[in-house]
């Protein structure tokens, strides 16, 4: 990994940090499978297909199950996520975790299949960029407090940045925007040092293999998130990020 690149990205993120706040906190994003309502709708459509053509229903059903049914309900595992100079891959439960490098209670979620890095000198890079012509969705997660001092997340969709520069306060998901559904609006939040973002939904995994191959060109510039499992109690297991 290019140490200078990670140093620069971490340095920029630390400029947003507020003093006198505890370190060691994390930022957590959870990718969930398609909601049950969507799954029910797909099942209903399949049943309609069977009723319309009883003779070929079994053939149609087998073909869908063999070739394409999983695209409706993909597992939330294996999505590539970037933050600062780190890379993480969603686990079987769809969990993505990074060490929190800034204390501002907001984060952008950028969804695009591929990015570029801006070089400063040789193999040293300063920031990430959206590729012109590539599809993108961008959302702002901002934690606020209501009149009763109860924290909540406000999630809004944002325009594509005019200069195509990705804000350092961003988690980047390297996938097609149509593979992810991000509910917008206000959502409950909890008072803690960790940033736990509202759930988003993995509703497709189209071209994720191609995205992974494209990412290999810049993979060496990002440090892999490493975790260590610890037993807190008989019923609680903690996953601790061990990166320095």
């Amino acid at each position: 990994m290019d140490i200078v690149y990670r140093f620069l990205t971490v340095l920029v993120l630390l400029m947003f940090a507020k003093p006198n706040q505890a370190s060691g906190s994390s930022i957590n994003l959870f990718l969930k499978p398609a909601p049950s309502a969507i799954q029910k709708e797909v099942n209903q459509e399949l049943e309609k297909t069977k009723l319309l053509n009883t003779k070929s229903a079994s053939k149609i059903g087998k073909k869908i199950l063999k070739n394409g049914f999983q695209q409706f309900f993909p597992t939330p595992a294996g999505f590539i996520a970037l933050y600062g100079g780190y890379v993480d891959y969603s686990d079987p439960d769809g969990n993505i975790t990074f060490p929190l490098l800034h204390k501002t209670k907001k984060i952008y979620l950028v969804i695009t299949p591929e990015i570029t890095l801006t070089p400063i000198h040789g193999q040293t890079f300063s920031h990430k960029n959206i590729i012109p012509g590539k599809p993108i969705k961008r959302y702002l997660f901002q934690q606020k407090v209501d009149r009763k001092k109860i924290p909540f997340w406000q999630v809004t969709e944002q325009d594509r940045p005019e200069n195509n520069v990705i804000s350092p306060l961003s988690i980047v998901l390297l996938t097609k925007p149509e593979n992810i559904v991000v509910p917008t609006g206000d959502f409950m939040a909890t008072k803690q040092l960790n940033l736990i973002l509202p759930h988003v939904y993995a509703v497709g995994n189209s071209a994720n293999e191609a995205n992974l191959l494209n990412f290999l060109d810049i993979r060496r510039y990002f440090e892999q998130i490493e975790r260590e499992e610890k037993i807190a109690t008989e019923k609680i297991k903690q996953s601790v990020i061990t990166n320095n």
Side-chain angles (χ1 to χ4, degrees):
M1 188 198 73
D2 192 307
I3 300 298
V4 179
Y5 170 64
R6 189 162 76 90
F7 170 77
L8 288 171
T9 54
V10 171
L11 180 62
V12 171
L13 284 162
L14 288 177
M15 291 173 63
F16 291 89
K18 294 179 181 180
N20 303 321
Q21 294 212 16
S23 60
S25 50
S26 64
I27 182 167
N28 303 269
L29 176 66
F30 294 90
L31 303 181
K32 293 296 182 180
S36 57
I38 293 179
Q39 296 187 23
K40 183 178 179 180
E41 183 178 340
V42 172
N43 286 327
Q44 289 174 344
E45 290 300 319
L46 291 177
E47 289 300 323
K48 288 180 182 179
T49 301
K50 293 178 182 179
L51 291 174
L52 287 173
N53 194 338
T54 306
K55 184 177 180 179
S56 60
S58 60
K59 292 182 179 180
I60 293 173
K62 289 179 181 178
K63 184 176 181 180
I64 290 175
L65 287 170
K66 181 179 180 181
N67 301 323
F69 190 73
Q70 288 303 317
Q71 69 179 316
F72 295 111
F73 312 125
T75 64
F79 284 82
I80 308 166
L82 308 175
Y83 169 72
Y86 294 99
V87 57
D88 194 20
Y89 302 87
S90 56
D91 67 17
D93 295 321
N95 184 28
I96 295 169
T97 306
F98 293 104
L100 184 59
L101 302 178
H102 70 280
K103 301 302 180 185
T104 305
K105 297 287 187 176
K106 71 175 185 179
I107 190 78
Y108 290 94
L109 177 62
V110 177
I111 308 169
T112 190
E114 190 178 357
I115 64 168
T116 61
L117 301 176
T118 294
I120 296 177
H121 177 72
Q123 296 297 306
T124 303
F125 301 87
S126 62
H127 58 268
K128 309 178 189 75
N129 303 282
I130 298 163
I131 299 176
K134 292 288 183 180
I136 174 182
K137 286 284 187 178
R138 190 170 71 124
Y139 299 87
L140 173 61
F141 292 69
Q142 192 164 13
Q143 192 173 120
K144 297 186 176 183
V145 179
D146 66 14
R147 295 178 181 178
K148 296 182 180 180
K149 305 299 182 183
I150 298 175
F152 68 95
W153 285 104
Q154 184 180 77
V155 183
T156 55
E157 187 169 352
Q158 304 288 302
D159 293 332
R160 184 188 191 109
E162 293 183 0
N163 57 6
N164 288 320
V165 173
I166 297 174
S167 166
L169 302 181
S170 297
I171 292 176
V172 180
L173 284 180
L174 295 179
T175 187
K176 287 186 175 182
E178 59 262 33
N179 288 337
I180 304 293
V181 170
V182 180
T184 56
D186 297 339
F187 303 90
M188 292 183 62
T190 55
K191 292 182 178 180
Q192 57 177 294
L193 292 174
N194 298 330
L195 290 187
I196 300 178
L197 303 177
H199 296 161
V200 303
Y201 297 95
V203 297
N205 52 19
S206 174
N208 273 3
E209 295 84 358
N211 299 334
L212 177 59
L213 290 175
N214 291 332
F215 176 61
L216 292 179
D217 291 336
I218 58 173
R219 169 65 181 83
R220 62 187 181 278
Y221 304 121
F222 295 88
E223 181 176 345
Q224 173 67 51
I225 291 296
E226 298 178 359
R227 297 180 179 83
E228 179 180 301
E229 299 291 339
K230 293 185 177 180
I231 305 298
T233 67
E234 291 183 359
K235 297 183 178 180
I236 299 177
K237 181 185 293 185
Q238 294 180 334
S239 180
V240 181
I241 295 176
T242 58
N243 300 73
N244 295 324

